[in-house]
């Protein structure tokens, strides 16, 4: 398996606080708390390493509290190419209730500027032709909205394939660039933000995804939370969903899906197998707190049980679509 490079411009330490029920405006007593070095690209790297992939992590990292990230990279044999920045990496607070509902409080972190992209671009000189670069997550304050698009273009110039999981203005910039990524994974709300209109209608959502494929993006995946995800390519379209969902922490589940997509792209799987792999990664991650994957046999068992629905049948089905709202 060739190396996968992840890029995280805005990492975070995820503080997950567990409690029976969040009572807003009242004193709440937590039953447990855990801290995980994260941010979307770091989560992708962590899950891929659990799968056995050769991973190199790039991005920006606060020097003052880099130790948890360094320990994660060392423990999982992830090559560390993160550029150290003055100050601290931000903390994101995840309040997890017993029923599975999660409330996110994403705090600000170190500021960055366009000049900080230079050292990061230098770190991407390690990317070789044919390798995969995964760019995911938000931008820190001060970084231009075009940062992810510029890094994607740089990776493509080096002959790498690019998978982007970004939102907002960063997604607008990526989709307006002269050279498009090979794959993207927005959720429905993020795709609506780019399109400037509601995509609650299933047929309209599928058409929007197909239109992006027609523009030159080889794989478009729209995640829909507990409903699964819509996978579109030139080979067709399929709706994939897991047959079972754990009630564990959803922190990093979307990133686990991106990791599953990355592993499928590296292995050259077809559309149906890619949908099963990515969906199984997301479902498997729910069984573990933090961005960690269980053993391969467990993931393979889930992969074999993923339900794949023809898009025409899914469009005809009644009921509202679910959403995946996680964005760090």
């Amino acid at each position: 398996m060739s190396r996968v490079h992840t890029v995280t411009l805005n990492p975070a330490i995820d503080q997950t606080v567990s409690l029976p029920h969040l009572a807003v405006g009242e004193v709440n007593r937590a039953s447990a708390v855990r801290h995980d070095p994260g941010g979307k690209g770091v989560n992708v790297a962590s899950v891929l390493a659990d799968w056995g992939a050769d991973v190199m992590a790039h991005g920006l990292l606060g020097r003052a509290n880099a130790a948890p990230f360094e320990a994660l990279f060392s423990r999982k044999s992830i090559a560390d190419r993160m550029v150290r920045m003055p100050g601290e990496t931000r903390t994101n607070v995840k309040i997890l209730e017993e029923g599975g509902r999660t409330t996110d409080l994403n705090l600000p972190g170190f500021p960055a500027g366009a000049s900080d992209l230079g050292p990061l671009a230098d770190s991407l000189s390690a990317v070789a032709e044919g390798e995969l670069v995964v760019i995911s997550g938000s931008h820190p304050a001060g970084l231009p909205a075009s940062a992810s698009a510029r890094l994607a273009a740089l990776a493509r110039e080096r002959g790498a394939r690019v998978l982007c999981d970004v939102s907002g203005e960063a997604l607008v910039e990526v989709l307006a660039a002269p050279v498009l990524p090979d794959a993207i994974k927005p959720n429905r709300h993020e795709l609506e933000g780019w399109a400037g209109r509601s995509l609650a209608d299933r047929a309209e959502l599928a058409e929007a995804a197909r239109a992006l494929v027609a523009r030159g993006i080889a794989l478009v995946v729209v995640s829909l939370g507990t409903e699964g995800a819509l996978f579109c390519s030139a080979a067709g379209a399929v709706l994939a969903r897991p047959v079972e969902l754990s009630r564990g922490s959803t922190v990093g589940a979307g990133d686990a899906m991106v990791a599953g997509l990355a592993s499928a792209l590296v292995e050259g799987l077809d559309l149906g197998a890619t949908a099963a792999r990515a969906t199984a990664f997301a479902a498997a991650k729910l069984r573990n707190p933090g961005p960690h994957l269980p053993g391969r046999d467990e993931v393979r068992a889930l992969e074999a049980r993923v339900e794949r629905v023809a898009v025409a049948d899914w469009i005809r089905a009644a009921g509202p679509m679910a959403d995946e709202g996680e964005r760090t």
Side-chain angles (χ1 to χ4, degrees):
M1 182 183 294
S2 65
R3 174 174 286 172
V4 178
H5 301 258
T6 64
V7 178
T8 313
L9 297 175
N10 203 16
I13 294 175
D14 290 327
Q15 177 177 295
T16 303
V17 179
S18 300
L19 74 176
H21 173 72
L22 175 62
V24 178
E26 300 181 15
V27 174
N28 292 266
R29 297 190 182 280
S31 56
V33 63
R34 61 175 291 126
H35 297 81
D36 293 286
K40 297 190 73 64
V42 171
N43 291 342
V44 172
S46 177
V47 171
L48 280 170
D50 289 339
W51 184 249
D54 182 5
V55 188
M56 181 174 287
H58 306 257
L60 306 176
L61 188 63
R63 185 178 295 112
N65 58 348
F69 294 88
E70 293 167 349
L72 173 72
F73 297 153
S74 176
R75 184 170 70 253
K76 296 199 174 188
S77 299
I78 298 169
D80 180 4
R81 290 295 184 92
M82 302 286 284
V83 176
R84 293 337 189 239
M85 301 283 291
E88 291 190 348
T89 297
R90 66 195 174 125
T91 297
N92 287 344
V93 181
K94 316 284 188 180
I95 303 174
L96 174 64
E97 299 174 69
E98 283 184 356
R101 186 175 68 169
T102 302
T103 301
D104 293 345
L105 299 174
N106 291 351
L107 307 184
F110 54 76
S115 61
D116 295 310
L117 290 179
L120 179 51
D122 291 342
S123 81
L124 290 174
S125 64
V127 175
E129 184 173 359
E131 292 184 335
L132 180 66
V133 177
V134 181
I135 302 172
S136 51
S138 60
H139 293 174
L143 208 61
S146 61
S148 289
R150 290 165 60 182
L151 294 171
L154 177 62
R156 290 296 303 271
E157 288 173 6
R158 296 194 61 82
R161 292 177 295 166
V162 176
L163 164 58
C164 282
D165 179 24
V166 297
S167 62
E169 289 301 314
L171 179 60
V172 171
E173 292 283 347
V174 163
L175 295 181
V179 180
L180 295 170
D182 298 270
I184 60 171
K185 192 213 70 71
N187 63 35
R188 177 166 65 87
H189 284 319
E190 291 162 356
L191 195 60
E192 288 175 330
W194 168 77
R197 59 190 174 91
S198 171
L199 296 172
D201 180 83
R202 297 182 181 202
E204 290 186 9
L205 178 65
E207 181 54 36
R210 289 187 178 112
L212 287 169
V213 172
R215 286 181 53 193
I217 301 176
L219 177 64
V220 175
V221 180
V222 185
S223 54
L224 301 169
T226 55
E227 188 165 347
L230 176 66
F231 295 76
C232 290
S233 75
V238 64
L239 189 286
R241 52 192 171 211
V243 296
E244 63 178 75
L245 284 172
S246 167
R247 296 181 64 182
S249 171
T250 61
V251 176
D255 304 326
M257 176 169 280
V258 174
L261 289 173
S263 72
L265 289 170
V266 168
E267 294 177 31
L269 302 185
D270 64 22
L271 181 64
T274 295
R277 172 69 57 83
T279 303
F281 266 50
K285 178 263 151 299
L286 293 177
R287 299 182 174 187
N288 288 335
H292 310 292
L293 205 63
R296 269 184 175 251
D297 289 345
E298 193 170 333
V299 178
R300 292 288 193 194
L302 288 170
E303 190 173 358
R305 298 175 62 199
V306 167
E307 181 185 7
R308 286 176 268 180
V309 180
V311 169
D313 293 337
W314 175 69
I315 289 173
R316 285 193 295 267
M321 287 187 291
D323 299 303
E324 181 206 61
E326 179 186 341
R327 174 58 52 186
T328 60

